[in-house]
Short mmCIF file of all heavy atoms in Angstrom, two decimals:
data_model
loop_
_atom_site.label_atom_id
_atom_site.label_comp_id
_atom_site.label_asym_id
_atom_site.label_seq_id
_atom_site.Cartn_x
_atom_site.Cartn_y
_atom_site.Cartn_z
N VAL G 12 1.02 -3.63 -10.91
CA VAL G 12 2.07 -4.51 -11.48
C VAL G 12 1.70 -4.80 -12.93
O VAL G 12 2.58 -4.78 -13.80
CB VAL G 12 2.18 -5.81 -10.64
CG1 VAL G 12 3.03 -6.86 -11.37
CG2 VAL G 12 2.82 -5.50 -9.28
N GLY G 13 0.43 -5.02 -13.23
CA GLY G 13 -0.01 -5.25 -14.61
C GLY G 13 0.27 -3.98 -15.48
O GLY G 13 0.72 -4.07 -16.59
N TRP G 14 -0.06 -2.83 -14.93
CA TRP G 14 0.19 -1.59 -15.65
C TRP G 14 1.67 -1.41 -15.91
O TRP G 14 2.06 -0.97 -17.01
CB TRP G 14 -0.33 -0.35 -14.88
CG TRP G 14 -1.80 -0.35 -14.67
CD1 TRP G 14 -2.76 -0.86 -15.49
CD2 TRP G 14 -2.52 0.27 -13.62
NE1 TRP G 14 -4.02 -0.65 -14.98
CE2 TRP G 14 -3.89 0.08 -13.85
CE3 TRP G 14 -2.12 0.99 -12.46
CZ2 TRP G 14 -4.86 0.55 -12.94
CZ3 TRP G 14 -3.08 1.50 -11.62
CH2 TRP G 14 -4.45 1.26 -11.85
N LEU G 15 2.47 -1.64 -14.91
CA LEU G 15 3.94 -1.50 -15.08
C LEU G 15 4.44 -2.49 -16.10
O LEU G 15 5.42 -2.20 -16.82
CB LEU G 15 4.66 -1.69 -13.73
CG LEU G 15 4.49 -0.55 -12.75
CD1 LEU G 15 5.05 -0.94 -11.37
CD2 LEU G 15 5.18 0.70 -13.27
N GLY G 16 3.87 -3.66 -16.18
CA GLY G 16 4.32 -4.65 -17.18
C GLY G 16 3.92 -4.22 -18.59
O GLY G 16 4.66 -4.53 -19.54
N ALA G 17 2.83 -3.49 -18.74
CA ALA G 17 2.39 -3.08 -20.05
C ALA G 17 3.11 -1.80 -20.51
O ALA G 17 3.59 -1.73 -21.59
CB ALA G 17 0.89 -2.84 -20.04
N GLU G 18 3.11 -0.82 -19.60
CA GLU G 18 3.81 0.46 -19.87
C GLU G 18 4.13 1.18 -18.58
O GLU G 18 3.23 1.65 -17.89
CB GLU G 18 2.86 1.34 -20.70
CG GLU G 18 3.48 2.64 -21.10
CD GLU G 18 2.50 3.52 -21.91
OE1 GLU G 18 1.44 3.04 -22.32
OE2 GLU G 18 2.82 4.70 -22.11
N PRO G 19 5.40 1.25 -18.24
CA PRO G 19 5.73 1.92 -16.99
C PRO G 19 5.36 3.39 -17.02
O PRO G 19 5.73 4.11 -17.98
CB PRO G 19 7.27 1.72 -16.90
CG PRO G 19 7.58 0.60 -17.80
CD PRO G 19 6.54 0.61 -18.88
N THR G 20 4.57 3.80 -16.06
CA THR G 20 4.20 5.20 -15.96
C THR G 20 4.33 5.67 -14.51
O THR G 20 4.38 4.85 -13.55
CB THR G 20 2.74 5.42 -16.38
OG1 THR G 20 1.87 4.70 -15.46
CG2 THR G 20 2.48 5.00 -17.82
N GLY G 21 4.34 6.97 -14.32
CA GLY G 21 4.42 7.52 -12.96
C GLY G 21 3.19 7.16 -12.14
O GLY G 21 3.26 6.93 -10.94
N TRP G 22 2.01 7.13 -12.80
CA TRP G 22 0.80 6.77 -12.06
C TRP G 22 0.86 5.36 -11.54
O TRP G 22 0.46 5.15 -10.38
CB TRP G 22 -0.45 6.95 -12.98
CG TRP G 22 -0.87 8.34 -13.03
CD1 TRP G 22 -0.72 9.17 -14.15
CD2 TRP G 22 -1.52 9.11 -12.04
NE1 TRP G 22 -1.26 10.45 -13.84
CE2 TRP G 22 -1.74 10.41 -12.58
CE3 TRP G 22 -1.92 8.86 -10.76
CZ2 TRP G 22 -2.33 11.46 -11.84
CZ3 TRP G 22 -2.55 9.86 -10.04
CH2 TRP G 22 -2.72 11.14 -10.57
N ALA G 23 1.30 4.43 -12.30
CA ALA G 23 1.40 3.04 -11.87
C ALA G 23 2.36 2.93 -10.70
O ALA G 23 2.10 2.17 -9.71
CB ALA G 23 1.87 2.14 -13.04
N VAL G 24 3.48 3.63 -10.76
CA VAL G 24 4.47 3.62 -9.68
C VAL G 24 3.85 4.23 -8.39
O VAL G 24 3.99 3.73 -7.29
CB VAL G 24 5.74 4.34 -10.05
CG1 VAL G 24 6.67 4.53 -8.84
CG2 VAL G 24 6.46 3.59 -11.15
N ALA G 25 3.06 5.35 -8.55
CA ALA G 25 2.44 6.00 -7.41
C ALA G 25 1.39 5.10 -6.76
O ALA G 25 1.32 5.00 -5.53
CB ALA G 25 1.82 7.32 -7.84
N VAL G 26 0.61 4.45 -7.61
CA VAL G 26 -0.44 3.53 -7.05
C VAL G 26 0.23 2.36 -6.33
O VAL G 26 -0.16 1.99 -5.25
CB VAL G 26 -1.31 2.99 -8.23
CG1 VAL G 26 -2.20 1.84 -7.73
CG2 VAL G 26 -2.19 4.14 -8.79
N LEU G 27 1.28 1.82 -6.96
CA LEU G 27 2.00 0.70 -6.30
C LEU G 27 2.59 1.11 -4.97
O LEU G 27 2.47 0.45 -3.95
CB LEU G 27 3.09 0.17 -7.22
CG LEU G 27 3.93 -1.01 -6.66
CD1 LEU G 27 3.00 -2.22 -6.36
CD2 LEU G 27 4.97 -1.44 -7.67
N ALA G 28 3.26 2.29 -4.95
CA ALA G 28 3.89 2.78 -3.73
C ALA G 28 2.86 3.00 -2.62
O ALA G 28 3.03 2.66 -1.46
CB ALA G 28 4.67 4.03 -4.03
N SER G 29 1.75 3.66 -3.02
CA SER G 29 0.69 3.96 -2.06
C SER G 29 0.10 2.65 -1.46
O SER G 29 -0.04 2.52 -0.25
CB SER G 29 -0.43 4.73 -2.78
OG SER G 29 -1.60 4.78 -1.99
N ALA G 30 -0.17 1.71 -2.32
CA ALA G 30 -0.77 0.43 -1.86
C ALA G 30 0.21 -0.34 -0.94
O ALA G 30 -0.19 -0.88 0.07
CB ALA G 30 -1.17 -0.44 -3.03
N LEU G 31 1.47 -0.35 -1.32
CA LEU G 31 2.47 -1.04 -0.47
C LEU G 31 2.63 -0.32 0.88
O LEU G 31 2.70 -0.96 1.91
CB LEU G 31 3.79 -1.09 -1.21
CG LEU G 31 3.92 -2.11 -2.33
CD1 LEU G 31 5.22 -1.94 -3.10
CD2 LEU G 31 3.75 -3.52 -1.82
N LEU G 32 2.63 1.00 0.85
CA LEU G 32 2.77 1.74 2.16
C LEU G 32 1.58 1.47 3.08
O LEU G 32 1.78 1.21 4.28
CB LEU G 32 2.91 3.21 1.87
CG LEU G 32 4.26 3.71 1.42
CD1 LEU G 32 4.22 5.18 0.95
CD2 LEU G 32 5.30 3.52 2.48
N VAL G 33 0.39 1.52 2.52
CA VAL G 33 -0.78 1.28 3.36
C VAL G 33 -0.77 -0.14 3.88
O VAL G 33 -1.05 -0.44 5.03
CB VAL G 33 -2.08 1.59 2.59
CG1 VAL G 33 -3.31 1.14 3.41
CG2 VAL G 33 -2.18 3.07 2.30
N GLY G 34 -0.53 -1.11 2.96
CA GLY G 34 -0.53 -2.54 3.36
C GLY G 34 0.46 -2.81 4.44
O GLY G 34 0.17 -3.52 5.41
N VAL G 35 1.69 -2.32 4.30
CA VAL G 35 2.70 -2.51 5.33
C VAL G 35 2.35 -1.82 6.60
O VAL G 35 2.49 -2.37 7.73
CB VAL G 35 4.11 -2.10 4.79
CG1 VAL G 35 5.12 -2.08 5.89
CG2 VAL G 35 4.60 -3.03 3.66
N ALA G 36 1.86 -0.57 6.50
CA ALA G 36 1.51 0.18 7.68
C ALA G 36 0.43 -0.53 8.52
O ALA G 36 0.51 -0.52 9.73
CB ALA G 36 0.99 1.57 7.31
N LEU G 37 -0.56 -1.17 7.87
CA LEU G 37 -1.58 -1.88 8.61
C LEU G 37 -1.12 -3.14 9.29
O LEU G 37 -1.80 -3.69 10.14
CB LEU G 37 -2.79 -2.19 7.73
CG LEU G 37 -3.53 -0.94 7.26
CD1 LEU G 37 -4.73 -1.38 6.37
CD2 LEU G 37 -4.04 -0.10 8.39
N LEU G 38 0.08 -3.59 8.94
CA LEU G 38 0.66 -4.80 9.56
C LEU G 38 1.74 -4.45 10.63
O LEU G 38 2.22 -5.41 11.26
CB LEU G 38 1.24 -5.72 8.50
CG LEU G 38 0.26 -6.19 7.42
CD1 LEU G 38 0.94 -6.96 6.32
CD2 LEU G 38 -0.85 -6.99 8.08
N VAL G 39 2.00 -3.21 10.79
CA VAL G 39 2.98 -2.80 11.83
C VAL G 39 2.34 -3.12 13.20
O VAL G 39 1.15 -2.83 13.44
CB VAL G 39 3.29 -1.28 11.73
CG1 VAL G 39 4.08 -0.79 12.89
CG2 VAL G 39 4.06 -1.03 10.44
N PRO G 40 3.14 -3.73 14.11
CA PRO G 40 2.55 -4.13 15.43
C PRO G 40 1.80 -3.04 16.16
O PRO G 40 0.78 -3.28 16.76
CB PRO G 40 3.79 -4.67 16.18
CG PRO G 40 4.73 -5.15 15.12
CD PRO G 40 4.51 -4.16 13.98
N SER G 41 2.37 -1.82 16.12
CA SER G 41 1.64 -0.72 16.88
C SER G 41 0.29 -0.46 16.26
O SER G 41 -0.67 -0.07 16.97
CB SER G 41 2.52 0.51 16.92
OG SER G 41 2.76 1.02 15.64
N VAL G 42 0.17 -0.53 14.95
CA VAL G 42 -1.13 -0.31 14.32
C VAL G 42 -2.08 -1.46 14.58
O VAL G 42 -3.27 -1.22 14.86
CB VAL G 42 -0.93 -0.05 12.77
CG1 VAL G 42 -2.28 -0.02 12.06
CG2 VAL G 42 -0.15 1.21 12.52
N VAL G 43 -1.61 -2.65 14.55
CA VAL G 43 -2.42 -3.82 14.87
C VAL G 43 -2.96 -3.67 16.27
O VAL G 43 -4.12 -3.89 16.55
CB VAL G 43 -1.68 -5.12 14.67
CG1 VAL G 43 -2.48 -6.34 15.19
CG2 VAL G 43 -1.32 -5.35 13.19
N ALA G 44 -2.08 -3.28 17.21
CA ALA G 44 -2.48 -3.09 18.61
C ALA G 44 -3.52 -1.98 18.74
O ALA G 44 -4.45 -2.02 19.52
CB ALA G 44 -1.29 -2.85 19.47
N ALA G 45 -3.34 -0.90 17.96
CA ALA G 45 -4.24 0.23 18.04
C ALA G 45 -5.60 -0.01 17.40
O ALA G 45 -6.54 0.67 17.72
CB ALA G 45 -3.58 1.45 17.35
N THR G 46 -5.69 -1.03 16.57
CA THR G 46 -6.95 -1.38 15.87
C THR G 46 -7.42 -2.77 16.34
O THR G 46 -7.80 -3.58 15.50
CB THR G 46 -6.76 -1.32 14.38
OG1 THR G 46 -5.71 -2.22 13.99
CG2 THR G 46 -6.44 0.09 13.90
N SER G 47 -7.42 -2.97 17.63
CA SER G 47 -7.81 -4.30 18.17
C SER G 47 -9.14 -4.30 18.89
O SER G 47 -9.41 -5.26 19.58
CB SER G 47 -6.72 -4.79 19.07
OG SER G 47 -5.53 -5.04 18.36
N ASP G 48 -10.00 -3.25 18.77
CA ASP G 48 -11.31 -3.28 19.38
C ASP G 48 -11.26 -3.72 20.89
O ASP G 48 -11.79 -4.72 21.22
CB ASP G 48 -12.25 -4.19 18.60
CG ASP G 48 -12.90 -3.56 17.47
OD1 ASP G 48 -12.84 -2.31 17.34
OD2 ASP G 48 -13.45 -4.25 16.66
N ARG G 49 -10.59 -2.94 21.66
CA ARG G 49 -10.48 -3.29 23.09
C ARG G 49 -11.82 -3.33 23.81
O ARG G 49 -11.92 -3.71 24.97
CB ARG G 49 -9.49 -2.37 23.78
CG ARG G 49 -8.09 -2.78 23.47
CD ARG G 49 -7.12 -1.88 24.13
NE ARG G 49 -7.13 -0.47 23.63
CZ ARG G 49 -6.65 -0.10 22.45
NH1 ARG G 49 -6.17 -1.01 21.65
NH2 ARG G 49 -6.72 1.16 22.07
#
C-alpha cells in the first residue's frame, strides 16, 4: 500500500494481490478446519 501510494507499479500490485489471496485463503473455514492439529 505504501509502494502504491508513492508510485503505482506492477510489482506493488502483484505483492498486494498475493498477500490478500494468502490472507483470505488462510481464513476460509475449510482451511481453518484443515489446519486445526487434530
Side-chain angles (χ1 to χ4, degrees):
V12 167
W14 295 333
L15 288 170
E18 180 182 352
T20 63
W22 279 106
V24 172
V26 169
L27 180 60
S29 168
L31 286 172
L32 283 171
V33 172
V35 169
L37 291 181
L38 299 175
V39 170
S41 63
V42 172
V43 172
T46 57
S47 293
D48 276 345
R49 282 180 292 288

